[in-house]
Amino acid sequence: MKKIGKLLLLLIPFFAVEQATAQAGLIEKLDGSKIGEREIDSTVKSLMSRAEIPGMGLAILNNKKKVFLKTYGFKDRSGGKLLDTTSILYAASFSKAVCGFLCMRLVENKILDLDKPLHHYLKKPIAEYENFSELRNDDRWQKITARMCLSHTTGFPNLKWFDPTAADPEFDSLGVVKIYFEPGTKYAYSGEAFKLLQVALEDITGKPFDELAVEYVFKPAGMNRSGYVWHDNFGDDLAIGHNEKGQQDIKRKRTVAVAGGSMVTTIEDYTRFIEYVVRGKGIRKATFDEMIRPQIRIYSQTQFPPITQATTHENDDIQLSYGLGWGLMQTPYGRAFFKEGSDDAWKNYNINFIDRGISIIIMTNSVNGSMIFKDLLEKLIGDTFTPWKWEGYYPVGYEGISPK
């Protein structure tokens, strides 16, 4: 018996090593094939080098659970400081996905009605809200609902400072919010819509937006280093963005929330959020299904400029659509929902194949980040469905495109 016991003690470390290797090293793709951690590392480092990307956070979920979480490169290239999983990153429009989930929680708590015109929630006439003062002479805004804001069908521009119909618009210092088409009739990406939604949510609840996010999303999901404003406990582990001129872009520590774009988070925290969502936490199944149900089909040739007459059927095979806070598509592996996050020094992407339980989250601190999304998605999880042309995710070298 003593010999058997000694043999078992010798075998335990062997099995533990094998189990740890399997957990850390074998990631399942959509088609059921596997990829090892070394191959992931090699692929990521090669692509980052080619696109001149300083830092990146990467997470992959299998069976709706995190199986891979790692950072690469620098949070501050000039200072030689390495990025880690708790470094604060600018989430950009990942903010809208979190806002969408927050709204579904408010719906379940009977605080928000998706189809009730938002003007019923406002405490003041629309013209008394500075951002929307020019709508005083356009009654169409009274038709706008939370559902329209979340599905990008309000008719508002993306950012009032830029002409939403121009391919390369100039900055307009006198930018005003206008309605460009009948609300509810077509898709056109709009950050300004989320500003109206935020005003309504704050008026309904009497709470600042960031406080709502902490209460309904960040705290339940265990996101302790995330906020729409800067929290005192974030410390100094802050990643720095790098723009097209190679210059550093240090995000200011916001004191006022912007529902559609001010969120900061970490790759670790945002992975917690995605895991929370795909595992059906926080909201009932029926509410989740409504969140990722197609609200509007998308036929535009590109996502930006957001308001254009040009159409295409190139994405018909995936039934490209928008839900409530998320882009949607259908694939041979079932439903998928996705969200981008982007500005001139940060590029982020997340897609969730909910019926296969596979997700990927990519966060970069470089304007060149989107140049590697197509290859990362294909090589790491076998995603050949993301509409990369529509999103403008042209790889390095595609038709002469290269890092600036």
Side-chain angles (χ1 to χ4, degrees), residues 33-252:
S33 63
K34 303 290 198 305
I35 184 170
E37 185 173 0
R38 288 185 179 178
E39 186 177 351
I40 292 175
D41 288 346
S42 174
T43 300
V44 168
K45 291 174 183 177
S46 173
L47 289 170
M48 286 179 65
S49 175
R50 189 178 179 200
E52 301 175 14
I53 296 168
M56 189 183 90
L58 174 68
I60 300 173
L61 275 61
N62 280 176
N63 298 317
K64 303 179 182 180
K65 294 182 180 180
K66 176 186 68 181
V67 291
F68 187 92
L69 176 65
K70 197 167 185 177
T71 56
Y72 301 86
F74 301 97
K75 65 181 178 184
D76 176 0
R77 181 163 56 187
S78 65
K81 298 177 181 178
L82 296 176
L83 184 68
D84 61 54
T85 59
T86 61
S87 297
I88 298 289
L89 298 156
Y90 177 51
S93 285
F94 273 6
S95 305
K96 295 180 178 69
V98 173
C99 179
F101 187 76
L102 164 61
C103 285
M104 302 315 286
R105 294 218 61 195
L106 295 177
V107 168
E108 284 208 340
N109 283 273
K110 303 189 183 305
I111 296 171
L112 176 68
D113 183 332
L114 291 172
D115 297 308
K116 186 175 182 178
L118 291 178
H119 73 87
H120 291 296
Y121 292 121
L122 302 182
K123 292 181 177 180
K124 302 182 294 186
I126 191 71
E128 293 186 23
Y129 295 90
E130 182 180 358
N131 198 56
F132 302 101
S133 60
E134 294 298 317
L135 296 178
R136 61 168 61 88
N137 297 318
D138 190 341
D139 291 339
R140 290 179 296 175
W141 79 271
Q142 295 183 19
K143 302 176 182 179
I144 294 174
T145 64
R147 188 184 299 275
M148 292 177 190
C149 293
L150 293 171
S151 60
H152 296 285
T153 59
T154 60
F156 284 163
N158 181 28
L159 299 172
K160 66 179 182 178
W161 311 109
F162 299 95
D163 180 355
T165 66
D168 189 18
E170 295 183 359
F171 179 77
D172 177 7
S173 61
L174 300 176
V176 297
V177 176
K178 297 187 291 186
I179 297 175
Y180 287 80
F181 57 81
E182 185 68 17
T185 60
K186 63 182 288 187
Y187 167 87
Y189 194 91
S190 174
E192 300 297 341
F194 277 74
K195 292 179 182 177
L196 178 60
L197 179 59
Q198 177 179 344
V199 168
L201 296 180
E202 291 179 337
D203 280 0
I204 295 167
T205 62
K207 298 178 180 179
F209 187 80
D210 182 69
E211 188 176 321
L212 291 172
V214 170
E215 179 180 352
Y216 287 98
V217 184
F218 297 150
K219 188 173 182 180
M223 301 167 70
N224 298 319
R225 291 177 59 74
S226 300
Y228 283 84
V229 297
W230 189 264
H231 295 190
D232 291 339
N233 68 331
F234 286 172
D236 297 320
D237 190 2
L238 174 67
I240 295 172
H242 300 76
N243 63 24
E244 62 181 10
K245 296 179 181 179
Q247 297 170 338
Q248 293 188 327
D249 179 10
I250 302 174
K251 280 295 175 185
R252 59 190 172 92

Side-chain angles (χ1 to χ4, degrees), residues 5 11 14 16 38 99 129 132 183 190 192 227 248 256 289 329-330 340 351 363 376-377 394:
L11 288 174
F14 173 79
R38 288 185 179 178
C99 179
Y129 295 90
F132 302 101
S190 174
E192 300 297 341
Q248 293 188 327
V256 178
D289 287 342
M329 61 183 182
Q330 285 285 340
E340 317 89 344
I351 187 165
M363 301 188 74
L376 282 177
L377 294 169
Y394 290 92

